[in-house]
């Protein structure tokens, strides 16, 4: 080979044949050589500064690179001493970081399953422990993020292994580029399905796996559950007295004439359906219990009264078909109230009225109550099946007369009579004429408008409503007059709503399936890792060293990236236009020997 002398500037555009040249020259005490392949000849023209005859067959010197034979021999000798052996094998080539990340991703998924099942059915405020509660959503978010990060790291390591094993087994440069491109971009994998590979599949499934996070969040929902527990309660309610009169005698009549002011307020609260305020200690939420309070012992009997309301059948004028009546003598029998009711329960024109008669005696009674947020309400009681009497009470005899004279229960009996006394009568005209007084005629009727004026009119028994009203008014009055000396202790049950975690298996199965599919796809990338004789990476330095770029001359042939950094990591490089060559050549070379590319120019 010969060296052709002569100067060459950036303005020389010499035509070269499409062939490879080997040029040798001297610089800095070393022999330089370069291999060049030009794809197409540029147009020839004469540069006035060139010393080359355009008609001559003399070939101008190609670009002079700094890959020096003296340096190459020197570095090669060093590299021979430092070269690492090619050592393929299962354990020596084991990609510990990648497989560890893969296992960490699977462990995060398993941990999420364990967490969800451990929280299932637990109160939100008691998981994982009552002393140190933690929001389940926070734990799942952390596990999901850790799992995604771990599988992402395993994917990148797997792509590296897959690229090198592919190159080891052989392929074209398109394969080399496609493995890298699909491994780093799920979008490229999705848009190039015709080139699907295990790397592409892994990238796509890794993106789909991101949906596992929201699915895990949906795998547990919070549901309110009503629970109950025994509670020791206390409240101030007198047990056997209304503490003061309820009415006043103003005449010699043996019934009270008016209500006392205090009792009148209790009646107003009853008719307005105001809450009964009661401070019950020991109840934090909603409680049920039984309070002993003033009330009435109830004793009832029932009878059948026949009727015939067939149209045309003679009827006494103003025949009663239902009533609510009260009889009491607060002066002679101050604690006794008699109530009678009669009603027509059937639509038949011929049948039986039901007549109930109840005797109520003042007594201490057990009152089932429901307590919630500082208020108390009486629960329904079936007086025909339950005896709630604790002890009968006998109020002292009273005397009526002019003047106001107090009556213990006279006001209560007066109010209940005014509220409920009723009489429903009928007479035959062209239809069954309906005549009524009091609330029974409309409050307790069960038939519709089409039955009015006909024997098919029906009612329900008003007796339970009357007794409940009497009981509530007495209870309201007792609560209103209570003081600290009336405190009583009683057992109850506290009912409260607890928010609990509830597992939804469908979402958990979907999330777990996505993670497992992604993990399996990533695991496939590590196949044949044992064929590699060293640990590999996708570092640009390691890739160009594998392609034997001139600037990596002297590097160990089997050096991993850490060793490459020690061997040639200090070499300075720069991308640009090589100053000593034609201006059409752009490459990575040594700093100081390249210039910045010019806008609009074409380079090879």
């Amino acid at each position: 080979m010969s060296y052709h002398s002569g100067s060459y500037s950036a303005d020389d555009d010499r035509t070269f044949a499409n062939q490879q040249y080997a040029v040798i020259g001297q610089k800095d005490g070393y022999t330089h050589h370069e291999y060049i392949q030009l794809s197409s000849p540029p147009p020839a023209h004469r540069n006035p500064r060139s010393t080359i005859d355009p008609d001559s067959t003399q070939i101008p010197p190609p670009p002079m690179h700094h890959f020096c034979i003296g340096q190459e021999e020197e570095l090669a000798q060093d590299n021979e001493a430092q070269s690492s052996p090619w050592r393929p094998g299962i354990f020596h080539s084991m990609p510990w970081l990648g497989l560890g990340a893969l296992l960490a991703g699977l462990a995060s998924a398993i941990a999420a399953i364990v967490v969800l099942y451990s929280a299932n059915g637990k109160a939100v405020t008691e998981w994982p422990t009552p002393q140190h509660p933690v929001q389940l959503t926070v734990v799942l978010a952390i596990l999901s993020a850790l799992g995604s990060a771990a599988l992402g790291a395993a994917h990148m390591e797997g792509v590296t292994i897959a690229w090198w094993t592919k190159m080891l087994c052989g392929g074209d440069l398109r394969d080399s580029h496609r493995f890298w491109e699909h491994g780093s971009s799920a979008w490229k994998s999705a848009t190039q399905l015709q080139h699907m590979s295990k790397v592409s599949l892994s990238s796509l499934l890794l993106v789909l796996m991101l949906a596992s996070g929201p699915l895990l969040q949906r795998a547990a929902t919070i549901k309110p559950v009503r629970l109950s527990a025994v509670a020791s309660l206390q409240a101030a309610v007198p047990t056997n007295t209304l503490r003061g009169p309820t009415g006043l005698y103003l005449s010699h009549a043996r019934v009270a004439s008016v209500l006392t002011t205090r009792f009148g307020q209790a009646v107003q609260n009853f008719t307005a359906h105001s809450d009964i305020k009661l401070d019950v200690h020991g109840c934090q939420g909603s409680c049920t219990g039984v309070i002993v309070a003033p009330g009435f012992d109830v004793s009832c009997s029932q009878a059948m009264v026949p009727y015939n309301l067939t149209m045309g059948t003679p009827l006494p004028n103003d025949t009663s078909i239902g009533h609510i009546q009260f009889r009491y003598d607060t002066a002679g029998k101050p604690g006794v109230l008699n109530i009678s009711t009669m009603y027509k329960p059937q639509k038949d024109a011929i049948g039986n009225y039901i007549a109930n008669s109840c005797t109520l005696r003042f007594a201490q009674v057990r009152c089932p109550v429901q307590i919630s947020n500082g208020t108390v309400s009486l629960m329904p009681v079936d007086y025909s099946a339950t005896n709630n009497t604790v002890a009968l009470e006998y109020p002292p005899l009273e005397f009526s007369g002019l003047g106001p004279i107090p009556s213990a229960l006279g006001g209560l009996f007066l109010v209940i009579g005014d509220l409920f006394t009723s009489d429903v009568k009928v007479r035959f005209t062209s239809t069954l004429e309906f005549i009524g007084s009091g609330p029974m005629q409309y409050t307790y009727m069960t038939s519709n408008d089409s039955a009015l004026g006909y024997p098919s009119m029906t009612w329900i028994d008003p007796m339970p409503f009357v007794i409940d009203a009497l009981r509530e008014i007495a209870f309201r009055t007792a609560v209103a007059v209570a003081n600290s000396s009336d405190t009583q202790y009683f057992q109850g049950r506290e009912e409260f709503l607890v928010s609990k975690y509830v597992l939804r298996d469908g979402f958990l199965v979907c999330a777990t399936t996505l993670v497992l599919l992604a993990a399996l796809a990533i695991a496939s990338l590590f196949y044949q890792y044992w064929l590699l004789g060293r640990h590999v990476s996708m570092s640009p330095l390691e890739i160009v060293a594998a392609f034997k770029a001139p600037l990596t001359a002297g590097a160990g042939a089997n050096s991993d990236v850490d060793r490459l950094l020690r061997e040639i990591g200090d070499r300075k490089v720069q991308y640009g236009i090589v100053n000593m060559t034609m201006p059409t050549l752009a490459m990575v070379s040594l700093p100081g020997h390249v210039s910045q590319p010019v806008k609009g120019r074409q380079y090879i």
Side-chain angles (χ1 to χ4, degrees):
M1 297 182 185
S2 62
Y3 174 75
H4 303 276
S5 64
S7 63
Y8 187 84
S9 69
D11 295 325
D12 287 316
D13 289 325
R14 175 75 175 181
T15 302
F16 297 98
N18 291 334
Q19 55 184 303
Q20 181 172 316
Y21 297 89
V23 182
I24 302 175
Q26 292 289 334
K27 185 179 180 181
D28 299 332
Y30 295 99
T31 300
H32 296 255
H33 67 202
E34 176 72 17
Y35 296 92
I36 304 174
Q37 179 72 40
L38 298 180
S39 58
S40 60
H45 68 276
R46 176 71 174 176
N47 189 323
R49 291 179 298 179
S50 176
T51 61
I52 304 174
D53 184 356
D55 299 324
S56 172
T57 58
Q58 180 184 9
I59 301 175
M64 190 164 294
H65 286 247
H66 298 273
F67 176 39
C68 306
I69 294 178
Q71 292 176 340
E72 180 184 32
E73 293 175 352
E74 181 179 320
L75 293 175
Q77 292 174 359
D78 294 340
N79 185 59
E80 184 177 356
Q82 300 174 3
S83 180
S84 299
W86 182 261
R87 296 174 57 190
I90 293 179
F91 293 104
H92 182 264
S93 301
M94 180 76 70
W96 297 106
L97 180 61
L99 293 179
L102 180 61
L103 293 177
L106 291 173
S108 297
I110 295 172
I113 296 173
V114 172
V115 163
L116 283 168
Y117 274 99
S118 68
N120 187 33
K122 296 289 184 64
V124 172
T125 57
E126 296 181 358
W127 185 88
T129 63
Q131 295 78 17
H132 302 92
V134 178
Q135 286 291 325
L136 178 61
T137 53
V138 174
V139 177
L140 292 177
I142 293 174
L143 290 175
S144 178
L146 291 177
S148 297
L151 289 180
H155 168 77
M156 296 307 298
E157 187 73 11
V159 169
T160 299
I161 299 295
W163 189 91
W164 281 96
T165 54
K166 176 64 176 176
M167 293 299 99
L168 189 63
C169 296
D172 55 34
L173 290 178
R174 286 191 181 89
D175 293 334
S176 171
H177 171 74
R178 193 175 295 123
F179 265 53
W180 166 81
E181 184 179 49
H182 289 195
S184 57
S185 172
W187 172 251
K188 291 295 184 179
S189 299
T191 55
Q192 298 178 15
L193 294 178
Q194 69 274 22
H195 300 298
M196 177 64 69
S197 65
K198 63 181 181 179
V199 174
S200 310
L201 181 62
S202 176
S203 294
L204 292 173
L205 290 177
L206 188 64
V207 171
L208 291 177
M209 192 206 67
L210 296 178
S212 65
L215 289 173
L216 280 178
Q217 297 288 339
R218 298 282 292 171
T221 186
I222 297 176
K223 181 180 180 181
V225 178
R226 184 174 294 277
L227 301 178
S228 65
V230 176
S232 296
L233 310 175
Q234 67 179 81
V237 179
T239 60
N240 60 354
T241 179
L242 298 180
R243 192 170 285 119
T246 61
L248 298 171
Y249 295 105
L250 298 180
S251 68
H252 291 288
R254 300 176 67 83
V255 295
S257 303
V258 295
L259 307 181
T260 62
T261 302
R262 176 183 58 81
F263 181 68
Q265 184 61 52
V267 174
Q268 290 179 17
N269 292 337
F270 168 77
T271 55
H273 303 287
S274 299
D275 292 336
I276 305 174
K277 301 294 184 180
L278 181 62
D279 188 13
V280 180
H281 296 281
C283 180
Q284 304 300 323
S286 178
C287 301
T288 57
V290 177
I291 297 177
V292 177
F296 292 89
D297 175 74
V298 180
S299 177
C300 297
S301 61
Q302 189 177 89
M304 300 293 182
V305 179
Y307 68 85
N308 186 348
L309 300 179
T310 306
M311 300 298 290
T313 301
L315 285 176
N317 287 336
D318 300 341
T319 298
S320 178
I321 61 173
H323 64 251
I324 304 174
Q325 297 175 348
F326 300 89
R327 292 182 297 108
Y328 54 91
D329 179 3
T330 53
K333 295 181 178 180
V336 180
L337 174 65
N338 293 295
I339 308 173
S340 64
T341 62
M342 186 178 74
Y343 65 101
K344 177 177 177 293
Q346 300 172 343
K347 295 181 179 181
D348 301 331
I350 299 175
N352 293 302
Y353 303 121
I354 296 180
N356 290 319
S357 179
C358 293
T359 299
L360 280 67
R361 295 177 173 84
F362 190 60
Q364 297 180 43
V365 295
R366 289 179 289 269
C367 299
V369 296
Q370 184 158 2
I371 306 155
S372 179
N373 299 322
T375 64
V376 62
S377 59
L378 295 174
M379 299 173 67
V381 174
D382 184 1
Y383 295 100
S384 64
T386 305
N387 183 6
N388 291 315
T389 302
V390 176
L392 293 174
E393 297 292 330
Y394 300 95
L397 292 176
E398 299 174 355
F399 299 94
S400 61
L402 300 176
I405 301 173
S407 172
L409 299 176
L412 179 58
F413 294 166
L414 177 64
V415 165
I416 204 70
D418 289 345
L419 291 175
F420 288 97
T421 297
S422 303
D423 193 10
V424 180
K425 297 179 180 180
V426 294
R427 69 175 65 161
F428 274 131
T429 54
S430 58
T431 61
L432 195 61
E433 185 179 351
F434 180 82
I435 307 168
S437 63
M440 183 175 179
Q441 59 182 323
Y442 47 82
T443 303
Y444 306 109
M445 179 179 283
T446 56
S447 54
N448 54 35
D449 295 344
S450 62
L452 293 175
Y454 296 94
S456 57
M457 293 183 293
T458 57
W459 286 261
I460 59 173
D461 184 13
M463 182 66 78
F465 301 96
V466 175
I467 296 176
D468 283 343
L470 187 66
R471 173 171 158 253
E472 182 177 336
I473 294 173
F475 185 81
R476 284 178 177 271
T477 305
V479 170
V481 301
N483 55 44
S484 58
S485 64
D486 299 318
T487 299
Q488 57 179 286
Y489 299 87
F490 57 99
Q491 291 291 319
R493 292 198 69 85
E494 183 176 8
E495 299 180 353
F496 46 91
L497 286 176
V498 175
S499 296
K500 290 191 172 186
Y501 292 117
V502 178
L503 179 64
R504 295 195 286 186
D505 296 322
F507 289 99
L508 178 58
V509 169
C510 291
T512 305
T513 300
L514 289 178
V515 173
L516 289 178
L517 289 176
L520 288 174
I522 293 171
S524 69
L525 301 180
F526 293 91
Y527 177 65
Q528 292 185 329
Y529 76 87
W530 53 86
L531 299 179
L532 301 173
R534 59 178 169 82
H535 294 292
V536 294
S537 72
M538 294 298 288
S539 167
L541 182 59
E542 188 169 357
I543 299 298
V544 297
F547 280 94
K548 286 300 179 182
L551 289 175
T552 63
N558 192 37
S559 297
D560 58 20
V561 68
D562 293 330
R563 187 160 185 172
L564 285 172
L565 289 172
R566 292 194 300 269
E567 292 173 345
I568 60 174
D570 293 333
R571 295 185 184 180
K572 307 298 184 181
V573 294
Q574 183 178 350
Y575 178 81
I577 307 304
V578 179
N579 296 333
M580 300 175 61
T581 68
M582 294 175 58
T584 54
L585 184 59
M587 62 181 294
V588 175
S589 185
L590 300 178
H593 295 271
V594 296
S595 59
Q596 292 295 323
V598 179
K599 181 179 180 180
R601 296 293 298 271
Q602 294 183 352
Y603 304 104
I604 61 172

